[in-house]
Amino acid sequence: MRNTLDSAQLNAAVENVHRAGMHGLFAEVRDGDKTWRGAAGVADVDTRRPVTADMRHRVGSITKTFTAAAVLQQVESGRIGLDTPIGRYLPKLVPGERGDAITVRMLINHTSGLAEYLPYAYPSLKAFPVLADTGPQSMDDNRLTRFHPTELIEMGVAAPAVGAPGGTPGVYSNTNYLLLGELLEQVTGTTAERYITRNVIERAGLDDTELPADPYVNGPHSLMYEAWFGMIDPPRDYSVYDMSWVGPAGSLISTVADLNRFFGMLLAGEIVSRSSLEQMQRTVPVVSQEGKVIDYGLGLHPMEAPGQVTFWGHGGTVWGAGALSMASADGKRQMSVAVNLQRWNRLDSAGKPQPHPIDEALAALHRVAMYG
């Protein structure tokens, strides 16, 4: 890894993603005390307002790292046992044998076997993961729907199990993290959002990061365009959206600078203890929502190129918005990237997402940002 930030190379890589078809993207890369920020494209396809690197953005499942860190703080205080069955804490939500078999750790690393609730909450996604038989209608229907986490959890718990508790590969499921939100509330006596805000977001000094209580992104931000595999054409803006459908699993709003600050502090042992960080970096195989088997720890996963330094972090997508944040294990080299278009790949005749120039351009940007 070259200990340098090549601004020209990074600017060109960001511009290439925009040229490949991404409406707008912005990024921050850090190397020790050096920082590069850049942006390319538009925040609004109608007005052509440009994106800027300081914009606030919905960062999806990067929220899971914040929630996992909050749970591990409570493990450190002795209020939560990592290998304690969830049924001891939330017997009504995960009753009977499953409550006795599924541990807190299994929720954090997605080996609980609990199904994803989303296809049950969103009727037009019922056929997921068979993408060709899904549609975007319920995304529009639920723009301002206020879900209660327990109703979503009940859908996931009632659905057929996707594996045995503790079995591998695990299956990525937002149901796990909504349960962790309820667990935090049970042991802290305050809402998960309030606890995470006080003890993770504010502790890390993240001034532009929040778990929103309303459907709006406050401050400078981009519109967020969802294509749903070509079924929404042209892509539609979903930046105004009630995020209770995903809560402590994916509702976070942040900036690329705040994300880099957070992951740098996390990997330095400043959010949770070093021993908790070691637990977070113990991985198991998990099937991602894209159907790929990845290594997944406790709200963290590694990303590496052959023969290169391993980076730790998380990615996330919600309707119209996506982000990825990764940091080297020593926290010195960091990359956070945000994009304002999602599911740009159209489906082929077999119903599989087709390769798109954006994929290759983003991969090239990640390589330049991470390894110089």
Side-chain angles (χ1 to χ4, degrees), residues 342-362:
Q342 280 302 293
R343 284 156 285 271
W344 52 79
N345 307 79
R346 291 176 180 266
L347 303 180
D348 62 21
S349 56
K352 297 274 188 273
Q354 294 176 305
H356 191 287
I358 289 174
D359 305 323
E360 202 173 309
L362 271 175

Side-chain angles (χ1 to χ4, degrees), residues 28 30 59-73 196-197 199-210 252-272 277 280 298-301 312-315 324-331 334-336:
E28 181 188 84
R30 296 184 182 185
V59 300
S61 285
I62 295 174
T63 313
K64 290 182 173 69
T65 314
F66 286 69
T67 301
V71 172
L72 282 156
Q73 288 176 353
I196 294 165
T197 299
N199 296 280
V200 180
I201 295 171
E202 290 176 1
R203 181 171 174 174
L206 308 181
D207 294 337
D208 288 309
T209 299
E210 67 172 325
L252 197 74
I253 292 167
S254 192
T255 62
V256 288
D258 269 9
L259 291 178
N260 278 343
R261 179 177 172 85
F262 168 72
F263 280 101
M265 291 179 72
L266 180 69
L267 291 167
E270 294 174 28
I271 307 292
V272 299
L277 182 61
M280 293 181 84
L298 301 184
L300 275 179
H301 69 83
W312 290 89
H314 215 291
L324 178 66
S325 195
M326 289 277 162
S328 56
D330 62 9
Q334 295 185 266
M335 165 199 81
S336 289

